Amino acid sequence: MSIKSKIFSAMKQIAEEQKVTLPPLEDDLSLNETGFDSLAFAILVARLEDELGVDPFTVAEDAAFPSTLGEFVRAYENVPA
Amino acid sequence: MSQPDVVALRQYLGPELKERTISDARHSVSLTDIVQHSCLTGRSCELSGRSVLLATSGQLLSALAMIELDGVARRLLLCPPDIDWDRLQVLLEQADIDTIVTDRPLHRCTAGKYIVIGVDLPERRAMGSEVDRATEWLMLTSGTSGLPKIVRHTLDGLAGAIIADGPVRYRNATWATFYDIRRYGGLQIFLRAVIGGGSMVLSEPGEAVAAHVARLRAGGVTHISGTPSHWRKLLMSGASADFAPDYVRLSGEIADQAVLDGLARAFPRASIGHAYASTEAGVGFSVDDGREGFPAHLIGQNHAGVEMKVVDDSLRIRSRRTARAYVGAAAPPLTDAEGFVDTGDMVERRGERYHFVGRRGGIINIGGLKVHPEEVEAVINRHVSVQMSRARSRRSPITGAIVVADVILADGTDAARHETVRAEILSQCRDCLPVWKVPAVIRFVERLDVTAAGKLARTDA
């Protein structure tokens, strides 16, 4: 499973738990429009750290938090292995 | 300063009660004629009026020395086993200690500074030191980090709850505790055995649960106490099967409904009580109805000499059972202006009952919203496949922190069911807790650490 599909699958799981209806997941979807609040993103980042072994937003101290879903996914894809 | 009306520990050890013993894994000592014997070696006649550190390798020698020194020494500092020498040095200064009673070789730098007196099994005839004072009992707080504080008690205060219960109620009881008797919770049980006319079986550090339980059975233990973490470990071990005490007591941590129910199933014949006590606040109360929390009517009234109030959600207690003071040059006041000890244990009223939710210092802050790990654990522990759990803080780049939980599953939980169990626990948490208190991640672990004081280790607290 690609990083992108792992992220989407984790998001769907959290959406189900938090009773959030996700819009179709596309690269240019603004994170604000996902329906996720900061807690949901905090949970997502923690679970992805366990699954992928990395938290790109803590690794780079000055990293700006992404604004679209595509940027969010790339933050994980672009972490040096 | 002579106080002829003072009752010392040895005066509860008359020859009229036969076959009383105190034992550990290696030795059993008769309490019936203990007063005729001495466990102290060397210049023990010089102990009158001394400020004594009691630092023995095992609990048995401490127990015997406590009996011999109460009413004789000016003060008695009980040293739990896990205090290293560097920290102890500072504490000895603070407590103004001039004499050390020990069975251990002493650190070189003590030479000349203290009178050192040996302690061994009581095979010598007692010199008959006079009981002529109310000895100050000094104990260390069980704080997890930094230097423990020293608190000063009197025997009268330490025994307040035992006297209030009516000691005769426990005559012929054989007591045991998972605690070390040099800590407040364990000392309560030792005093119950001595004052109530009973016997005692001591715990041994590092002893396997099954071996400990075998000793409890062989020793005929009828009354036993420990923290909820101690009890969960016993229940998990499966060693409780052949053990049938009359009385099971929990204290030192929050007794949640899951552990109370677990003990009721494991010990159907036993009465099960959970007590609230701390080194500073003494014994507040005990609850015997098998339900978590305590009746709301205990707040605001004087019950058997104990008054409790809730200030900013924290329980405060005033009674003669609380410690008298912190000891040391720069010691902070122990009580508020009205004489109440602020316990730092946070409570929440639900209907006609108060529930403990956690420690003031243990709060996790999730983007400004607060959660006590203990309230999350109480919900997780209700799941039938869960033996024990620990909620803790994990840093988050988004909310600062989130709650995660480490869970020990019941023996025999099929690995194929792990994901189902995880989903069930999460769903249970979502039903009972606001969304920020639901663990973001649940990890299944083999073990959780318990501190020397018998409490779940909370490294982030």
Side-chain angles (χ1 to χ4, degrees):
Chain A
M1 202 160 47
S2 71
I3 286 177
K4 184 175 184 169
S5 52
K6 281 180 180 166
I7 293 172
F8 284 9
S9 145
M11 285 180 76
K12 284 172 189 157
Q13 170 87 33
I14 292 166
E16 198 182 309
E17 290 170 12
Q18 310 262 336
K19 313 237 180 318
V20 170
T21 310
L22 280 176
L25 297 179
E26 287 159 1
D27 274 4
D28 57 357
L29 180 70
S30 157
L31 293 181
N32 287 331
E33 291 162 352
T34 55
F36 272 26
D37 58 10
S38 60
L39 180 66
F41 277 112
I43 296 170
L44 176 64
V45 170
R47 291 192 186 167
L48 290 174
E49 184 181 5
D50 288 350
E51 192 175 349
L52 306 173
V54 65
D55 166 3
F57 311 108
T58 299
V59 168
E61 280 176 11
D62 57 347
F65 201 75
S67 58
T68 67
L69 190 54
E71 288 168 20
F72 184 85
V73 171
R74 276 193 295 281
Y76 282 91
E77 289 171 338
N78 293 340
V79 169
Chain B
M1 206 164 49
S2 174
Q3 295 184 345
D5 55 337
V6 69
V7 178
L9 210 43
R10 68 171 72 173
Q11 284 156 320
Y12 294 101
L13 291 156
E16 69 281 2
L17 291 171
K18 305 293 180 202
E19 291 173 20
R20 298 179 68 187
T21 59
I22 183 162
S23 64
D24 64 11
R26 287 175 300 276
H27 303 283
S28 177
V29 173
S30 164
L31 287 173
T32 304
D33 56 355
I34 191 78
V35 178
Q36 273 81 54
H37 296 84
S38 173
C39 63
L40 302 171
T41 64
R43 301 180 294 172
S44 62
C45 51
E46 290 177 21
L47 279 163
S48 179
R50 291 281 171 186
S51 296
V52 178
L53 167 75
L54 184 51
T56 60
S57 47
Q59 297 178 64
L60 182 61
L61 294 181
S62 278
L64 300 170
M66 283 184 223
I67 293 168
E68 197 163 336
L69 290 171
D70 182 50
V72 175
R74 177 171 88 91
R75 47 174 49 165
L76 191 53
L77 170 59
L78 306 185
C79 180
D82 51 319
I83 298 287
D84 58 73
W85 176 251
D86 289 340
R87 289 192 298 163
L88 192 55
Q89 285 275 68
V90 182
L91 296 168
L92 294 187
E93 292 290 326
Q94 283 177 11
D96 208 9
I97 293 299
D98 54 35
T99 304
I100 300 178
V101 169
T102 185
D103 62 332
R104 290 188 294 212
L106 273 181
H107 209 271
R108 242 178 282 126
C109 52
T110 54
K113 207 166 167 189
Y114 305 100
I115 294 179
V116 177
I117 290 176
V119 55
D120 203 345
L121 291 174
E123 282 153 1
R124 288 152 300 280
R125 288 215 55 85
M127 306 287 283
S129 308
E130 228 88 346
V131 167
D132 58 0
R133 69 190 70 233
T135 295
E136 297 174 354
W137 289 65
L138 307 190
M139 310 195 68
L140 303 182
T141 57
S142 59
T144 47
S145 59
L147 200 63
K149 290 200 197 76
I150 308 169
V151 297
R152 175 162 57 83
H153 279 275
T154 60
L155 182 65
D156 191 41
L158 288 169
I162 303 167
I163 305 294
D165 275 1
V168 181
R169 178 173 154 193
Y170 300 115
R171 191 141 286 181
N172 300 322
T174 295
W175 289 89
T177 170
F178 296 101
Y179 287 107
D180 191 292
I181 62 165
R182 293 161 287 188
R183 294 190 178 283
Y184 189 89
L187 184 65
Q188 279 297 310
I189 300 307
F190 171 65
L191 294 177
R192 278 179 187 267
V194 172
I195 293 172
S199 294
M200 179 155 194
V201 176
L202 297 164
S203 62
E204 286 282 345
E207 187 175 33
V209 179
H212 188 195
V213 173
R215 245 175 1 96
L216 299 174
R217 289 174 50 210
V221 166
T222 54
H223 292 55
I224 174 165
S225 105
T227 62
S229 289
H230 286 137
W231 284 115
R232 286 190 191 100
K233 287 206 154 189
L234 179 74
L235 292 175
M236 269 189 269
S237 73
S240 58
D242 303 318
F243 181 42
D246 299 331
Y247 178 61
V248 163
R249 184 179 174 97
L250 305 90
S251 66
E253 289 181 303
I254 300 170
D256 63 29
Q257 197 59 51
V259 73
L260 292 170
D261 292 348
L263 287 168
R265 281 191 298 273
F267 305 117
R269 289 197 320 110
S271 82
I272 294 164
H274 55 100
Y276 178 82
S278 79
T279 312
E280 285 105 322
V283 179
F285 57 88
S286 60
V287 176
D288 298 320
D289 61 9
R291 293 165 55 205
E292 65 179 18
F294 60 94
H297 68 77
L298 292 182
I299 295 290
Q301 288 180 37
N302 187 324
H303 284 268
V306 178
E307 294 167 274
M308 303 199 296
K309 63 180 180 181
V310 177
V311 178
D312 296 335
D313 299 328
S314 169
L315 183 67
R316 295 195 186 194
I317 295 184
R318 175 167 73 184
S319 80
R320 288 179 46 77
R321 305 174 193 172
T322 68
R324 301 292 97 204
Y326 287 121
V327 174
L334 179 86
T335 64
D336 67 16
E338 291 162 353
F340 283 83
V341 175
D342 182 358
T343 65
D345 284 314
M346 311 300 274
V347 295
E348 183 181 291
R349 185 166 178 164
R350 297 173 204 153
E352 284 312 297
R353 237 164 145 87
Y354 275 97
H355 293 256
F356 288 101
V357 292
R359 293 283 304 159
R360 179 160 44 217
I363 293 174
I364 302 170
N365 187 330
I366 300 157
L369 297 165
K370 302 206 164 109
V371 56
H372 291 282
E374 294 91 338
E375 56 184 329
V376 180
E377 290 155 12
V379 174
I380 295 174
N381 291 348
R382 280 183 221 156
H383 192 283
V384 64
S385 298
V386 171
Q387 286 283 15
M388 192 166 170
S389 65
R390 179 186 61 191
R392 59 188 170 86
S393 166
R394 172 165 160 186
R395 52 126 200 85
S396 165
I398 295 158
T399 52
I402 48 166
V403 190
V404 298
D406 299 326
V407 173
I408 302 180
L409 290 176
D411 267 358
T413 306
D414 189 348
R417 285 200 64 241
H418 280 194
E419 287 318 305
T420 314
V421 170
R422 191 195 311 273
E424 286 169 2
I425 294 172
L426 281 174
S427 145
Q428 201 166 289
C429 289
R430 278 194 295 273
D431 289 346
C432 304
L433 296 167
V435 61
W436 70 90
K437 297 184 181 180
V438 175
V441 175
I442 290 178
R443 204 164 58 117
F444 295 130
V445 297
E446 291 294 317
R447 55 180 303 236
L448 288 168
D449 287 337
V450 172
T451 67
K455 302 183 188 199
L456 192 58
R458 298 185 187 279
T459 46
D460 56 340

